[in-house]
Amino acid sequence: DGGITQSPKYLFRKEGQNVTLSCEQNLNHDAMYWYRQDPGQGLRLIYYSQIVNDFQKGDIAEGYSVSREKKESFPLTVTSAQKNPTAFYLCATRRLATYTQYFGPGTRLTVL
Amino acid sequence: QKEVEQDPGPLSVPEGAIVSLNCTYSNSAFQYFMWYRQYSRKGPELLMYTYSSGNKEDGRFTAQVDKSSKYISLFIRDSQPSDSATYLCAMSAGNQFYFGTGTSLTVIP
């Protein structure tokens, strides 16, 4: 996990509710990423950000939103528009000009 | 066609065996290749990182990249029960990363 924290570890949500997943890092890495992991599908990119106040959509951004107001923080909001949000969510960071990512411990979201 | 293909296994070996894990890819622009180990319900942990073709060794682990065949491998020597996990390959040409689906490995004592 290093200097990447994700909270909460487990999250339960009722259908129709928005929830926000936290990702904080003290590695001083510039880039931050959100992935979703489902059994048999590997990691799929939701959003990524290389600098504060800027972010790009990944392959499955629909139903999700992010913000990057501070270098250390990259929260992910799962909105009620996300049709199948139950999954394991992983945050990752990377120092620019390098090509390795480091992952947080993950948040498991379950929609009831 | 997926960018990265990885046999999901599961793979089961006796303790002390040599394990070979593999991925193929389609994008010839990939230059950076990584292997991650993921224990159940945990985040992936970076094991090995290789730039371009060639071999890299770190203890019991060896990563191999063959760009001409678009094929990468991870070898684990003297496998231990603690190596039981899912192994993900990953690769990149720039700001985005592409992952295999993971191979589940069990090392039997």
Side-chain angles (χ1 to χ4, degrees):
Chain A
D1 305 346
I4 305 169
T5 58
Q6 290 186 243
S7 62
K9 187 173 182 179
Y10 298 98
L11 185 56
F12 297 89
R13 189 194 92 174
K14 293 182 180 178
E15 283 193 16
Q17 287 182 335
N18 292 356
V19 290
T20 297
L21 282 58
S22 169
C23 178
E24 303 278 334
Q25 56 110 352
N26 63 5
L27 301 171
N28 199 32
H29 286 179
D30 306 281
M32 298 185 74
Y33 299 75
W34 275 106
Y35 292 93
R36 169 181 172 142
Q37 187 174 36
D38 296 279
Q41 294 201 50
L43 275 66
R44 292 184 289 168
L45 180 64
I46 304 172
Y47 271 98
Y48 69 101
S49 168
Q50 297 191 83
I51 57 172
V52 173
N53 292 324
D54 187 53
F55 46 83
Q56 284 75 43
K57 293 182 178 180
D59 300 321
I60 56 165
E62 185 175 351
Y64 300 98
S65 66
V66 294
S67 63
R68 187 88 186 276
E69 296 177 1
K70 300 186 300 181
K71 186 176 183 178
E72 302 79 15
S73 179
F74 191 40
L76 174 73
T77 296
V78 184
T79 75
S80 56
Q82 169 48 233
K83 296 189 186 334
N84 186 19
T86 294
F88 189 47
Y89 290 86
L90 288 160
C91 175
T93 70
R94 174 176 74 94
R95 182 182 296 121
L96 289 182
T98 69
Y99 294 91
T100 51
Q101 288 184 317
Y102 297 88
F103 284 87
T107 292
R108 185 164 300 276
L109 172 63
T110 303
V111 173
L112 303 173
Chain B
Q1 183 185 9
K2 285 186 179 179
E3 297 268 12
V4 181
E5 299 275 2
Q6 184 175 11
D7 186 339
L11 189 58
S12 185
V13 301
E15 183 175 354
I18 296 175
V19 176
S20 173
L21 304 167
N22 310 293
C23 288
T24 59
Y25 62 94
S26 57
N27 189 342
S28 57
F30 289 147
Q31 295 264 41
Y32 305 93
F33 303 91
M34 291 135 279
W35 285 95
Y36 289 85
R37 177 174 62 196
Q38 186 176 24
Y39 293 112
S40 182
R41 298 177 183 271
K42 304 288 186 184
E45 169 195 9
L46 181 66
L47 273 180
M48 301 283 287
Y49 159 64
T50 310
Y51 170 69
S52 194
S53 284
N55 292 359
K56 186 174 184 179
E57 188 173 321
D58 184 2
R60 296 185 295 110
F61 298 90
T62 299
Q64 199 170 76
V65 175
D66 181 350
K67 290 191 71 181
S68 62
S69 301
K70 297 190 180 67
Y71 189 87
I72 70 170
S73 300
L74 177 71
F75 298 96
I76 307 173
R77 291 184 298 281
D78 187 25
S79 56
Q80 302 295 308
S82 59
D83 295 328
S84 298
T86 296
Y87 290 80
L88 304 169
C89 63
M91 42 203 82
S92 175
N95 296 322
Q96 292 198 31
F97 293 74
Y98 298 86
F99 291 81
T101 53
T103 299
S104 175
L105 171 67
T106 300
V107 180
I108 302 167

